[in-house]
Structures are given as structure tokens and as C-alpha cells.
Amino acid sequence: MSNKPFILLGKEIPEGKRTVLDLEVAKLHTRTTVKVPIIIERSTNPGPVVLLLAGIHGDETNGVGIIREIISLKLNKPKSGTIICIPVFNIFGYLIQTREFPDGRDLNRMFPGTVSGSLASQFAYQFTKEIAPFVDYVIDFHTGGGERDNIAQIRCSKDDEKALELAKVFNPPMIVFSENITKSLRDTLHKMGKTVLLFEGGKSKELNPTIINEGVNGTKNVLIRLGLIEGEITVRATPVFVHKAKWLRASDSGMFKIRVANGSFVKKKEILGVIQDPFGEFNKKVYAPFNCHIFCINKTPIVNKGDALFHLSVEE
């Protein structure tokens, strides 16, 4: 059975071939057109359409690295269905390694966008109208912002059964239950009836081999489960489920030394880190407030009072 015609950005995507389209964002003040490359691999056999997207925040390079490896390994060539890869979504931010769009806005708070709003809003609108309706499943790759280092994890709503099933198939070290944030890409896609997995791993401005490996392996598992590629699903361990979470904040300002590994299970009163002054006069220990898993650590060397240091699971 042949697929129906698949048209994206006004162009029919042929069966069994690789197609690269450009989503035009805007023109720079130099009149140079800024385009986002979209790589499409369509099988000759019918099946779902999966979108792999990274770089919605321009400095979150681990996700870009994950999709790059998926393309390099040809995991994006399906035996059934269609796989769309957008390795760098926020091309503006990626070029200058910043989180935001040039208008200073967080693109991931601008969906579904408007046709005549800010630059970020117009770009979000273009994606929502011209790409989002044609996909069935989305994996959206992120990292921690700034120096916040996330253990590899999938975030999804506990009420979204289809997403939760695929999160387990992805088999990350941790699955974090979190509600959709208003005006985010994930929230907009969910309202459109799409199944969305949000991957978090590592921190901004890095290419972490462990995180990239987790992202590639997990995506491969999902593509196998959905029937797009052949292979065996790899299960390394049972993920830790984080139902509720809390940030542990700095009680003082100073130099921050971490004494625990990300992803660890720690017991109440265990020392997680130390805050010190540069003059050798105080040494403030940071203790675990309860038994918990750590799934994000702020790795900045200098902290201010009130800064988030550790993201902790609140055990039932």
C-alpha cells in the first residue's frame, strides 16, 4: 500500500528519499536570510510521522549533538513512516550561543504564536501552522539552563498514558512527572493531540558523551517500538520515577563545592556540598533535608543566598 501524498512547507515529500527543506525565519539587518534546515526521511511504507527537535534554546547543544548522531548512524532512515529531524530550531540563539531569540524572548514560552507578534511569536506561529499538524510523535531535546546539570531524564505528565508508555520504552535513568507549561511547545503540541516526550540531559554549552549516548539509545528504542526502524529495544535498568520534586536552595553566598554525584540516592542529613567564603573563615555544609534522589545539580562555582543548588525527588 502506498502512502498518501505528504506535503510539508508547500513541497511534496517523495517516498523512499531524503529531502532537506528550509524553514525561513527572517532576514538579518544585513538582508541575509536565516533558514532552519529540516531533514526528512520518508519510507515507501506507511507509518507514523516522528519529529526529533533540538535547540529550541540556542545554547542547549547536547540535544543538537543527539540528533546529529542519530542522523550520522542513519537511525533516521525509517523502514515505515517518516522521520523529521530539526537539529537546530532556534538558529539565532545557536549562532551566538544564547538561550533566547534576538528579541530577548524565550521561544519556548511563545507558542502557538501569532502571525503579527514579536519575532519569536511569528516563528512559533509558522511552526505551529506549517509543521506541527503533520507530525504524530515528537521528542523535544533540552538541557539544564546555565550551569544546571540534569541527569538524563524524560519529562511527561502522569495523566498522558501514551507519552508515559513511550517514556518507559525510552528507558532513561529517571522519568520526571511534570505538568505542561502554558505557551510551551510541549503544551501546544499536546493540545493538538500529539504525543510528546521532553528529554532533559546535561547543561548548556556542552557536548556530554554520556548524555548524548542516553539520548540516542532512548530515541532508537522509541523508533523501534513505533515500528519505524528494526532492532531490539535496549533496557539497561528500571528508571527512577520522580512524582514530586523540590529545589534545595543556598542558605549562604560563597564558593560552592559539590560532594555528591548527580543521579545519586541520598539519605536525610547526608552532606551534599559545602559553601565556603574565599577568606577561609566559614564552611557551611549543605545537608539532604530528607531521603531523595538528586536529578539536577547547579555546577556554578559561586552561589548567592537563595540560589537553587540541587533538584530533589520528594519520596512518597
Side-chain angles (χ1 to χ4, degrees):
M1 186 177 78
S2 178
N3 280 343
K4 295 178 181 178
F6 182 51
I7 298 171
L8 200 65
L9 299 178
K11 182 174 180 178
E12 183 171 345
I13 310 303
E15 295 179 3
K17 292 187 178 179
R18 181 179 193 265
T19 305
V20 180
L21 301 179
D22 287 321
L23 177 64
E24 291 197 13
V25 183
K27 281 187 168 60
L28 298 174
H29 59 273
T30 57
R31 299 177 70 182
T32 303
T33 303
V34 178
K35 300 177 180 179
V36 175
I38 301 173
I39 300 160
I40 305 153
E41 292 276 4
R42 187 181 181 212
S43 169
T44 54
N45 299 311
V49 179
V50 176
L51 170 63
L52 308 178
L53 181 147
I56 197 168
H57 296 126
D59 60 354
E60 296 184 0
T61 43
N62 278 324
V64 181
I66 290 167
I67 297 184
R68 188 263 173 211
E69 287 302 307
I70 287 167
I71 294 169
S72 177
L73 294 168
K74 296 184 170 33
L75 296 175
N76 66 317
K77 290 180 72 68
K79 64 160 189 163
S80 301
T82 301
I83 299 175
I84 302 171
C85 291
I86 306 180
V88 184
F89 194 49
N90 177 1
I91 201 88
F92 283 110
Y94 183 76
L95 288 171
I96 58 173
Q97 284 296 281
T98 186
R99 180 181 178 86
E100 298 83 12
F101 235 59
D103 56 11
R105 289 171 168 84
D106 182 340
L107 179 58
N108 207 25
R109 298 293 181 272
M110 302 305 296
F111 290 90
T114 57
V115 71
S116 58
S118 67
L119 179 61
S121 182
Q122 289 184 43
F123 182 54
Y125 179 84
Q126 193 176 359
F127 172 85
T128 304
K129 292 298 180 185
E130 298 190 31
I131 296 175
F134 305 101
V135 305
D136 302 306
Y137 299 89
V138 181
I139 306 179
D140 180 19
F141 296 94
H142 289 261
T143 77
E147 290 297 310
R148 293 182 182 182
D149 189 5
N150 280 315
I151 196 76
Q153 61 196 256
I154 289 290
R155 295 188 180 179
C156 63
S157 168
K158 65 178 68 176
D159 300 323
D160 189 340
E161 293 181 6
K162 288 179 72 176
L164 180 55
E165 180 195 349
L166 288 182
K168 293 174 183 175
V169 170
F170 196 102
N171 193 231
M174 293 193 180
I175 294 174
V176 180
F177 290 123
S178 66
E179 295 306 313
N180 295 337
I181 298 171
T182 303
K183 294 189 176 182
S184 67
L185 173 64
R186 179 178 150 205
D187 184 52
T188 296
L189 289 168
H190 179 73
K191 288 175 178 174
M192 294 174 75
K194 315 301 179 182
T195 301
V196 187
L197 296 183
L198 192 149
F199 175 88
E200 283 273 359
K203 59 189 184 70
S204 60
K205 297 183 181 179
E206 72 166 9
L207 289 171
N208 183 317
T210 301
I211 295 298
I212 291 172
N213 191 48
E214 287 280 358
V216 171
N217 288 339
T219 302
K220 182 179 178 183
N221 279 353
V222 170
L223 294 175
I224 292 168
R225 170 58 63 88
L226 294 175
L228 279 91
I229 64 173
E230 295 177 329
E232 295 291 326
I233 291 174
T234 305
V235 178
R236 295 174 296 283
T238 303
V240 173
F241 288 87
V242 178
H243 295 268
K244 291 172 62 180
K246 180 180 179 179
W247 278 102
L248 180 60
R249 297 184 177 275
S251 59
D252 298 87
S253 301
M255 301 160 64
F256 180 44
K257 290 188 176 181
I258 300 160
R259 295 282 178 84
V260 68
N262 207 357
S264 297
F265 177 79
V266 294
K267 294 187 175 182
K268 185 177 179 179
K269 298 293 185 184
E270 193 170 328
I271 297 172
L272 307 183
V274 179
I275 299 173
Q276 303 169 323
D277 72 311
F279 313 109
E281 293 180 359
F282 81 83
N283 203 58
K284 189 79 173 179
K285 292 177 181 174
V286 180
Y287 295 99
F290 38 72
N291 294 352
C292 57
H293 283 91
I294 298 169
F295 62 96
C296 180
I297 298 177
N298 188 346
K299 293 194 170 175
T300 186
I302 308 295
V303 298
N304 293 305
K305 184 177 181 180
D307 282 356
L309 302 181
F310 299 96
H311 212 177
L312 311 174
S313 65
V314 179
E315 302 297 315
E316 296 293 327

